[in-house]
Amino acid sequence: EIVMTQSPATLSVSPGERATLSCRASQTVSSNLAWYQQKPGQAPRLLIYGASTRATGIPARFSGSGSGTEFTLTISSLQSEDFAVYYCQQYNNWPPMYTFGQGTKLQIK
Amino acid sequence: QLQLQESGPGLVKPSETLSLTCTVSGGSISSSSYFWGWIRQPPGKGLEWIGSVYYRGITYYNPSLKSRVTMSVDTPKNQFSLKLSSVTAADTAFYYCARHRDYGGNLGDFDYWGQGTLVTVSS
């Protein structure tokens, strides 16, 4: 099983500043990585797939990068609605096994 | 706009079978480009993929749950379902259904999610 490790567990950033979240895979997943945002009481929402492609309707301030085992989600200028928990997910396995990171909580500084 | 909605009992007794249904609206469950998945999240914790099913009945399950999981599709009703047997308190979680995108044979991300339903395992 591919283990996904996110860091930091909690990130405190001021509105308007840049946030950088990391995700590391225990073995290569190529570019088969997605990022999700989850707000309290809501389902996760797909932000990024293929490591760097924004999903439909996602603002341009969200960007993803990386390949292999190291990935980054960057939010260029934090808005109040961006404070949430973010998860990465890999989809490189055969036989199928889709694993998520443990999440990074992005909170207001 | 595609919508998914979970339904089923919110309370299940230990050792019994958890049964949930996901109703898909605004699109067909019989699309060739998608599987349909279940993901769970214990309160305050992270996400765990349970399994995914294709409208023709192909299933993929998380190996850690495989012995207890059954998923199926009802295409006339545009629904798919989850059964998890022999539940314990560790199965208490929010259960989400989601559309699982198929990238030409390799399943990928989950692009549409239901709102989730809390299932508590308790006597």
Side-chain angles (χ1 to χ4, degrees):
Chain A
E1 176 181 324
I2 297 177
V3 177
M4 307 302 292
T5 303
Q6 293 185 240
S7 61
T10 304
L11 181 62
S12 298
V13 183
S14 300
E17 294 189 340
R18 175 189 298 257
T20 303
L21 290 68
S22 296
C23 176
R24 173 177 292 179
S26 60
Q27 58 187 273
T28 183
V29 298
S30 187
S31 294
N32 297 316
L33 184 107
W35 288 95
Y36 300 85
Q37 176 193 68
Q38 186 178 33
K39 297 179 180 179
Q42 296 185 17
R45 176 176 70 144
L46 178 65
L47 298 175
I48 301 286
Y49 62 93
S52 61
T53 303
R54 279 190 303 277
T56 302
I58 300 305
R61 65 181 182 272
F62 291 90
S63 63
S65 63
S67 66
T69 61
E70 301 284 344
F71 301 89
T72 300
L73 174 70
T74 301
I75 311 171
S76 60
S77 179
L78 280 165
Q79 307 297 303
S80 58
E81 61 267 28
D82 300 335
F83 293 97
V85 179
Y86 291 83
Y87 294 95
C88 61
Q89 176 231 332
Q90 66 80 21
Y91 48 94
N92 195 61
N93 275 122
W94 187 265
M97 179 59 190
Y98 308 99
T99 49
F100 294 84
Q102 82 281 15
T104 290
K105 182 178 181 181
L106 180 58
Q107 63 182 25
I108 299 175
K109 185 175 182 179
Chain B
Q1 176 76 349
L2 190 75
Q3 293 187 323
L4 294 86
Q5 179 67 59
E6 305 89 352
S7 59
L11 181 64
V12 181
K13 290 182 169 55
S15 80
E16 296 189 345
T17 296
L18 177 160
S19 296
L20 294 174
T21 296
C22 182
T23 300
V24 179
S25 58
S28 174
I29 202 170
S30 301
S31 170
S32 61
S33 300
Y34 307 102
F35 275 57
W36 303 90
W38 289 95
I39 301 100
R40 70 180 182 177
Q41 183 176 38
K45 296 188 178 181
L47 300 161
E48 179 181 37
W49 172 70
I50 300 169
S52 297
V53 62
Y54 192 56
Y55 78 96
R56 291 184 175 177
I58 300 169
T59 53
Y60 298 129
Y61 299 142
N62 186 323
S64 69
L65 299 169
K66 186 176 183 178
S67 64
R68 299 194 291 131
V69 173
T70 303
M71 295 178 62
S72 59
V73 175
D74 186 335
T75 50
K77 293 184 177 180
N78 228 33
Q79 295 176 334
F80 61 105
S81 65
L82 167 70
K83 293 186 184 299
L84 181 66
S85 64
S86 304
V87 297
T88 69
D91 295 309
T92 294
F94 290 93
Y95 285 77
Y96 296 98
C97 61
R99 190 173 78 171
H100 199 171
R101 295 206 285 192
D102 183 352
Y103 293 105
N106 185 34
L107 300 190
D109 48 83
F110 302 92
D111 62 343
Y112 283 90
W113 295 63
Q115 66 185 24
T117 187
L118 177 61
V119 178
T120 302
V121 178
S122 175
S123 55

